[in-house]
């Protein structure tokens, strides 16, 4: 026989008290997961629960190829990246990207505290690693537009396309002030003039959203699920190295550092940039990754930057020469200098072993670790990763959508700089007539989408050819723009017999550079890639010609200027070639201004506006203008 009992009043009270206590304890335990709690309360609560291993894990960023479920969960990894060109599959769709990111995130959330990872990628001119993404002009072209509002829109479009692949963080913008075009990263710089670069930091609120009006200066801000965390790089002086050699030494005094290379960081921090990446370069012989004064005393304490500082790719390893010869020393030096997150990206077991050894030997104090982790958590909480850790499949159609391509096309036409228009001022050749009997299109860069996009497009170094992604070459754009009755003949490198045996009305010759990135782009001669010079001579000595220079920087053109009728600097315009024909054929006028000085000879370099020996072929800020025409017939 079953006996039923009724709880006594006192037992019921005790039961109610215990239940309430358990509930309260549970609520307290999840305080850091409660979005209603103040930010610092959440950070303090989570930090207080973390073990040393969990903190060290948060400071690690590994390459996605290593990001297995076990590694993420067992090492408490804080961040994952795609290195240049690293994708889950060739021509991967948005869904494939989101699947990958979400699997990584599931592993992180399955750990004891469930701290989400922050996934980062180099979306430096649009979401360049992703097939079909909109590829905008590289920064040097955007600098030529002098249009911060346009650049902000580009940041917002890029954020949407990056979020469409489940990724919430980009290693951009590069706010270097390139002072020597021999540097292989010069196209990643908006200008040689810090004031122009400062204006172009408007891309940061495009990527992240506008900071609230009452926000404290220096505090990171990301405005929800359609925005991404940005990264100002490479701190500091990377554009001023000796002879433009990548990762080399910037030899200037502190006043020059503050007046030339530091100003864009003031703007970036005021606009709430989430992270700052350290430069491989040195300042007066001291590696930036080891510079406590500039990382901690100045950036963190003087400028009151509250986001986190991230190393460059294996940047800590390169504190020593050769790199990695004494990793424990390098790790110690970098972290004590003020680096909060270490981009490893492969040998994470060595990182953990070395870090634990340094802590147990009391070399790295727990206060330095807590500062780093607090900054990382601040960014993660601020961007809403705890509430929305997973990628959103519904954003897939943002990638390469027409609205973004139209925006890129606008950026291209505003970035083109007209350097010469006619053998004499009274005989301009531009805009070109759309209706002509027969026109010649020539040059190695006229029908090569890879060269048109440049580095950081699908692959780290970029590619050659037209099968890398979806876009419109200059040749395609010309064919789509001219009158249907106009015959367009393409010959990459025509000889003089071919030219003389055809009755061409005029020629468009597109020459310039092949694709490159970083050190591979360092050049002491800055010559046009072969057979460009011979193509110019063969064509322009016989018929009227417009030379379109597709390059990441000024190149040597002085020897050919006299035989060319018109010269257009098109920079690295990206996927939307129609932006070039928009101005070549007069639908829009030329408005672009040189973001950097165009030299006569490399012997003049470095040469920047304001220098005593300033004697350019075309000065900083130069750019001829044309008026749009209703018809080009």
């Amino acid at each position: 026989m079953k006996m039923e009992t009724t709880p006594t009043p006192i037992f019921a009270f005790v039961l109610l008290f215990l239940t309430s206590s358990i509930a309260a304890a549970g609520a307290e335990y999840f305080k850091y997961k409660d979005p209603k709690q103040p930010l610092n309360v959440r950070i303090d609560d989570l930090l207080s629960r973390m073990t040393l291993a969990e903190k060290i894990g948060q400071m690690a960023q590994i390459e996605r190829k290593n990001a297995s479920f076990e590694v993420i969960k067992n090492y408490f990894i804080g961040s994952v990246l795609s290195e240049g060109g690293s994708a889950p599959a060739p021509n991967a769709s948005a869904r494939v990207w989101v699947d990958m990111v979400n699997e990584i995130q599931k592993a992180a959330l399955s750990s004891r505290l469930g701290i989400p990872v922050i996934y980062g990628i180099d979306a430096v001119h649009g979401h360049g690693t992703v097939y079909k993404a909109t590829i905008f002009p590289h920064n040097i072209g955007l600098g030529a537009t002098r249009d911060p509002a346009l650049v902000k829109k580009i940041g917002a479009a890029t954020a949407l396309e990056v979020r469409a692949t489940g990724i919430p963080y980009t290693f951009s913008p590069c706010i270097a002030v390139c002072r020597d075009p021999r540097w292989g990263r010069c196209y990643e710089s908006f200008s040689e003039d810090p004031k122009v670069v400062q204006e172009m930091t408007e891309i940061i609120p495009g990527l992240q959203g506008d900071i609230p009006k009452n926000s404290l200066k220096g505090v990171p801000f990301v405005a929800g699920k359609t925005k991404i965390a940005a990264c100002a790089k490479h701190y500091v002086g990377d554009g001023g190295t000796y002879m433009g050699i990548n990762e080399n030494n910037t030899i200037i005094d502190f006043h020059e550092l503050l007046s030339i290379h530091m100003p864009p960081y003031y703007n970036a921090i005021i606009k709430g940039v989430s992270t700052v990446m350290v430069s491989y370069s040195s300042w007066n012989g001291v590696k930036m990754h080891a510079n406590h004064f500039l990382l901690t005393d100045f950036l963190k304490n003087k400028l009151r930057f509250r986001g986190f500082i991230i190393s460059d790719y294996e940047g800590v390893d390169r504190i020593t020469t050769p790199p990695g010869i004494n990793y424990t020393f390098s790790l110690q030096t970098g972290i004590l200098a003020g680096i909060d997150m270490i981009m490893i990206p492969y040998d994470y077991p060595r990182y953990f072993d070395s870090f634990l050894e340094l802590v147990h030997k009391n070399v790295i104090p727990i206060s330095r670790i807590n500062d780093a982790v607090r900054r990382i958590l601040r960014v993660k909480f601020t961007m809403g990763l705890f509430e929305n850790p997973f990628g959103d499949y519904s954003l897939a159609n943002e990638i390469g959508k027409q609205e973004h391509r139209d925006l890129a096309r606008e950026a291209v036409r505003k970035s083109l700089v007209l350097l010469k228009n006619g053998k004499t001022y009274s005989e301009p050749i531009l805009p070109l007539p759309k209706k002509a009997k027969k026109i010649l299109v020539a040059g190695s860069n006229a029908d090569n989408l890879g060269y048109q996009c440049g580095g950081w497009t699908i692959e780290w170094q970029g590619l050659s050819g037209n099968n890398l992604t979806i876009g419109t070459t200059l040749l395609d754009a010309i064919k789509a723009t001219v009158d249907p009755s106009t015959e367009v003949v393409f010959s990459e490198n025509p000889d003089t017999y071919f030219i003389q045996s055809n009755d061409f009305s005029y020629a468009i010759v597109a020459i310039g550079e092949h694709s490159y990135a970083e050190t591979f782009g360092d050049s002491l001669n800055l010559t046009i890639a072969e057979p460009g010079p011979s193509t110019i001579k063969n064509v322009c000595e016989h018929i009227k010609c417009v030379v379109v220079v597709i390059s990441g920087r000024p190149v040597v053109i002085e020897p050919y200027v006299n035989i060319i009728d018109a010269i257009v600097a098109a920079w690295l315009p990206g996927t939307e070639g129609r932006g070039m024909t928009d101005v070549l054929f007069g639908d829009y006028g030329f408005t672009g201004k040189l973001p950097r000085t165009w030299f006569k000879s490399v012997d003049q370099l470095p040469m920047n506006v304001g220098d005593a020996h300033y004697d350019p072929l075309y000065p900083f800020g130069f750019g001829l203008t044309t008026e749009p025409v209703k018809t080009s017939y």
Side-chain angles (χ1 to χ4, degrees):
M1 182 178 173
K2 182 180 178 182
M3 289 184 63
E4 294 190 6
T5 59
T6 302
T8 63
I10 190 163
F11 179 76
F13 175 78
V14 171
L15 183 63
L16 178 63
F17 175 79
L18 290 172
T19 304
S20 301
S21 300
I22 293 168
E28 184 182 359
Y29 178 76
F30 292 109
K31 187 181 290 186
Y32 70 91
K33 292 187 176 182
D34 181 2
K36 294 179 182 177
Q37 291 287 343
L39 174 62
N40 286 330
V41 171
R42 299 180 77 184
I43 295 171
D44 289 340
D45 181 61
L46 179 51
L47 196 61
S48 70
R49 301 179 191 281
M50 296 175 71
T51 65
L52 176 61
E54 287 166 333
K55 292 175 180 178
I56 289 173
Q58 282 301 299
M59 295 172 68
Q61 184 182 70
I62 65 172
E63 218 286 324
R64 61 158 202 91
K65 299 185 189 76
N66 297 323
S68 68
F69 192 95
E70 291 74 20
V71 169
I72 295 293
K73 181 181 178 182
N74 296 336
Y75 283 89
F76 316 107
I77 297 296
S79 185
V80 175
L81 83 149
S82 277
E83 62 189 5
S86 181
N91 299 347
S93 67
R95 174 167 286 276
V96 171
W97 277 95
V98 174
D99 284 345
M100 176 194 68
V101 175
N102 285 355
E103 284 303 308
I104 290 170
Q105 202 64 277
K106 287 174 187 175
L109 298 178
S110 72
S111 64
R112 185 178 75 92
L113 295 172
I115 305 172
V117 298
I118 179 171
Y119 194 113
I121 196 166
D122 285 279
V124 299
H125 62 143
H127 202 5
T129 308
V130 174
Y131 184 67
K132 293 185 179 180
T134 310
I135 306 300
F136 294 93
H138 267 296
N139 284 355
I140 190 169
L142 298 183
T145 70
R146 300 294 203 278
D147 192 340
L150 174 69
V151 169
K152 183 177 181 180
K153 291 178 185 176
I154 289 171
T158 300
L160 281 169
E161 297 205 15
V162 172
R163 277 287 191 176
T165 56
I167 296 173
Y169 176 33
T170 178
F171 307 123
S172 69
C174 176
I175 55 173
V177 181
C178 176
R179 304 291 284 179
D180 194 325
R182 292 174 291 188
W183 185 39
R185 305 195 80 148
C186 204
Y187 65 72
E188 296 185 55
S189 168
F190 291 108
S191 179
E192 71 186 44
D193 182 356
K195 292 186 179 65
V196 174
V197 182
Q198 286 181 280
E199 291 173 359
M200 295 301 159
T201 59
E202 196 62 11
I203 196 169
I204 292 169
L207 293 164
Q208 297 192 154
D210 291 304
I211 60 171
K213 290 183 179 179
N214 60 349
S215 176
L216 294 173
K217 297 295 184 286
V219 177
F221 176 76
V222 180
K225 295 186 288 184
T226 60
K227 298 296 183 180
I228 58 178
C231 179
K233 67 182 188 183
H234 309 84
Y235 185 85
V236 59
D238 51 337
T241 58
Y242 174 69
M243 295 181 71
I245 299 169
N246 194 40
E247 305 181 23
N248 206 255
N249 192 20
T250 299
I251 309 167
I252 52 176
D253 62 29
F254 188 48
H255 173 74
E256 288 178 288
L257 188 76
L258 292 183
S259 61
I260 296 172
H261 298 283
M262 194 69 78
Y265 287 94
Y266 305 152
N267 297 72
I269 292 166
I270 287 169
K271 291 174 182 179
V273 74
S274 295
T275 70
V276 170
M277 184 182 290
V278 187
S279 176
Y280 286 129
S281 60
S282 303
W283 176 48
N284 294 333
V286 178
K287 294 269 191 181
M288 280 304 310
H289 278 75
N291 197 314
H292 182 276
F293 168 69
L294 285 175
L295 296 181
T296 297
D297 296 342
F298 196 82
L299 180 59
K300 288 184 174 180
N301 296 338
K302 180 76 171 179
L303 300 185
R304 299 190 62 78
F305 171 62
R306 291 292 175 262
F308 67 80
I309 298 175
I310 185 170
S311 81
D312 207 334
Y313 188 94
E314 295 181 337
V316 165
D317 306 47
R318 302 190 199 189
I319 288 174
T320 59
T321 304
I325 195 168
N326 187 341
Y327 185 76
T328 301
F329 168 78
S330 294
L331 189 64
Q332 166 191 330
T333 305
I335 290 172
L336 291 179
I339 299 172
D340 303 309
M341 183 176 284
I342 309 296
M343 195 184 292
I344 299 172
Y346 288 101
D347 197 356
Y348 55 89
R350 180 179 64 165
Y351 160 85
F352 280 93
D353 291 345
S354 297
F355 207 141
L356 286 169
E357 177 188 345
L358 289 166
V359 175
H360 291 148
K361 289 182 177 179
N362 295 318
V363 176
I364 296 179
I366 196 68
S367 59
R368 171 74 273 268
I369 296 169
N370 285 344
D371 170 62
V373 177
R374 177 178 295 277
R375 291 168 177 275
I376 293 164
L377 294 179
R378 180 179 292 122
V379 171
K380 290 185 176 184
F381 279 123
T382 300
M383 62 194 300
L385 271 183
F386 281 80
E387 288 70 57
N388 297 291
F390 295 114
D392 186 348
Y393 292 99
S394 71
L395 295 173
N397 291 334
E398 296 291 339
I399 295 178
K401 74 176 184 181
Q402 192 59 46
E403 181 184 340
H404 295 170
R405 294 189 181 277
D406 291 344
L407 181 65
R409 181 173 173 175
E410 178 187 354
V412 173
R413 63 176 177 257
K414 289 182 174 179
S415 71
L416 298 192
V417 179
L418 182 56
L419 300 177
K420 181 180 180 180
N421 190 14
K423 292 285 178 63
T424 66
Y425 285 111
S426 61
E427 296 179 292
I429 185 175
L430 292 169
L432 294 167
K434 293 179 181 176
K435 193 170 187 178
K437 181 181 177 183
K438 186 192 296 186
I439 65 175
L440 171 65
V441 180
S444 57
N445 294 51
D447 190 34
N448 194 310
L449 190 64
Y451 292 168
Q452 196 171 293
C453 291
W456 297 105
T457 309
I458 302 301
E459 298 289 346
W460 172 40
Q461 293 293 320
L463 294 164
S464 175
N466 294 333
N467 61 352
L468 67 161
T469 190
I470 303 300
T472 304
T473 67
L474 176 58
L475 176 63
D476 293 334
I478 292 168
K479 289 178 177 178
T481 302
V482 297
D483 187 84
S485 66
T486 300
E487 182 182 354
V488 178
V489 177
F490 175 63
S491 178
E492 187 168 315
N493 187 28
D495 58 28
T496 53
Y497 174 78
F498 177 82
I499 295 165
Q500 291 173 333
S501 61
N502 282 274
D503 185 19
F504 292 117
S505 302
Y506 58 83
I508 299 173
V509 180
I511 46 77
E513 295 186 298
H514 296 168
S515 298
Y516 58 82
E518 299 191 41
T519 304
F520 293 90
D522 287 357
S523 172
L524 293 178
N525 55 41
L526 293 177
T527 51
I528 294 167
E530 292 293 343
S534 61
T535 305
I536 293 172
K537 290 177 181 177
N538 288 347
V539 176
C540 296
E541 285 181 346
H542 295 94
I543 50 177
K544 282 187 177 181
C545 73
V546 176
V547 170
V548 180
V549 183
I550 296 178
S551 66
R553 54 201 164 184
V555 290
V556 175
I557 60 171
E558 194 271 341
Y560 323 111
V561 168
N562 288 337
I563 64 169
I564 300 171
D565 292 277
I567 305 171
V568 176
W571 316 112
L572 297 171
T575 52
E576 304 315 300
R578 290 294 295 273
M580 289 185 277
T581 52
D582 281 343
V583 286
L584 288 172
F585 291 95
D587 293 322
Y588 294 83
F590 280 91
T591 58
K593 303 298 178 187
L594 282 181
R596 59 173 314 99
T597 300
W598 204 294
F599 58 87
K600 294 176 181 175
S601 163
V602 291
D603 296 334
Q604 298 174 294
L605 301 175
M607 179 177 64
N608 296 282
V609 63
D611 289 351
H613 65 287
Y614 198 67
D615 181 29
L617 181 63
Y618 300 107
F620 169 83
F622 180 81
L624 301 174
T625 58
T626 60
E627 293 297 322
V629 292
K630 292 182 180 179
T631 176
S632 298
Y633 297 169

